[in-house]
Amino acid sequence: YCKMLNASVRGLNGESRKVDFTTTVELEADAFIPPSYIVNEQQKLDIYKRIAGVENAGESADMKEELLDRFGEVPVSVDNLLRIALIRVRAHSLYVTEVKGRGGELKFLLRPDAMLQVEYIPAFLRHYGSCLTFNAKGTPYFLYRYKKCGVVEKDAQNLIALTEELLRDMEKYLAFGEADVSAR
């Protein structure tokens, strides 16, 4: 009820309405808090909730700094968790409902009503060559095919970095700026 009321008030004030949907990220990478890093289960649950609520790079850096201060050196799996939280936020802003990366494929499923500059999709695809394809039928999606090196940890880091890069480029090529969105 509160969400609906707030959306109505924003609409009356001339603010753009945001579409409510969930973005999930499933990447073939370890992203968890090891039992040896935070022993207390209540603290661990609190940290998971706070990481899930991270909305920008500044908040992620603050969270990482706090973890370092409270619990010591941040394990790779926790750093991955923070990076994936930022991936989810960035993907959500691009109307991506799912990010799935495994087995040499990275897939970005989009909402059919995604507010993207579709006229720039060909340039985006050219930027990545034959590795990246786009399917507009049914649920639209981008599919990137990549080679794995065979070392699990290295493949995980490469996959996370590739996902971050593709989302940055999607923003650069396809996302509307503030002026573009208000003109719609």
Side-chain angles (χ1 to χ4, degrees), residues 53-74:
V54 165
E55 296 203 10
N56 57 52
E59 289 178 12
S60 178
D62 290 346
M63 184 80 232
K64 192 171 181 177
E65 189 175 312
E66 178 183 335
L67 289 170
L68 180 64
D69 288 346
R70 289 177 64 189
F71 305 106
E73 190 63 35
V74 178

Side-chain angles (χ1 to χ4, degrees), residues 18-73:
K18 297 212 181 221
V19 180
D20 191 24
F21 64 95
T22 303
T23 298
T24 59
V25 178
E26 296 175 23
L27 298 178
E28 204 169 51
D30 286 339
F32 65 96
I33 300 171
S36 59
Y37 187 60
I38 301 177
V39 179
N40 182 293
E41 289 300 317
Q42 190 61 40
Q43 284 180 322
K44 190 182 296 187
L45 284 174
D46 178 56
I47 297 298
Y48 272 122
K49 284 182 195 175
R50 292 182 51 211
I51 290 174
V54 165
E55 296 203 10
N56 57 52
E59 289 178 12
S60 178
D62 290 346
M63 184 80 232
K64 192 171 181 177
E65 189 175 312
E66 178 183 335
L67 289 170
L68 180 64
D69 288 346
R70 289 177 64 189
F71 305 106
E73 190 63 35

Side-chain angles (χ1 to χ4, degrees), residues 61-129:
D62 290 346
M63 184 80 232
K64 192 171 181 177
E65 189 175 312
E66 178 183 335
L67 289 170
L68 180 64
D69 288 346
R70 289 177 64 189
F71 305 106
E73 190 63 35
V74 178
V76 171
S77 62
V78 176
D79 188 57
N80 290 348
L81 191 61
L82 286 163
R83 290 174 71 188
I84 288 171
L86 289 176
I87 286 170
R88 183 189 49 76
V89 170
R90 182 170 260 160
H92 189 82
S93 73
L94 291 164
Y95 289 75
V96 173
T97 58
E98 288 182 51
V99 177
K100 291 184 178 187
R102 70 173 354 107
E105 292 187 345
L106 180 56
K107 192 174 196 177
F108 300 88
L109 280 83
L110 301 163
R111 287 181 52 92
D113 62 345
M115 293 183 58
L116 299 176
Q117 298 184 85
V118 294
E119 64 271 22
Y120 296 115
I121 289 176
F124 179 57
L125 294 173
R126 275 193 305 276
H127 180 73
Y128 284 96

Side-chain angles (χ1 to χ4, degrees), residues 27-30 80 83 101-104 106 146-163:
L27 298 178
E28 204 169 51
D30 286 339
N80 290 348
R83 290 174 71 188
R102 70 173 354 107
L106 180 56
Y146 63 95
K147 297 243 187 263
K148 297 171 75 171
C149 72
V151 178
V152 175
E153 295 84 10
K154 187 168 173 66
D155 281 336
Q157 292 306 305
N158 290 343
L159 177 58
I160 292 172
L162 176 63
T163 306

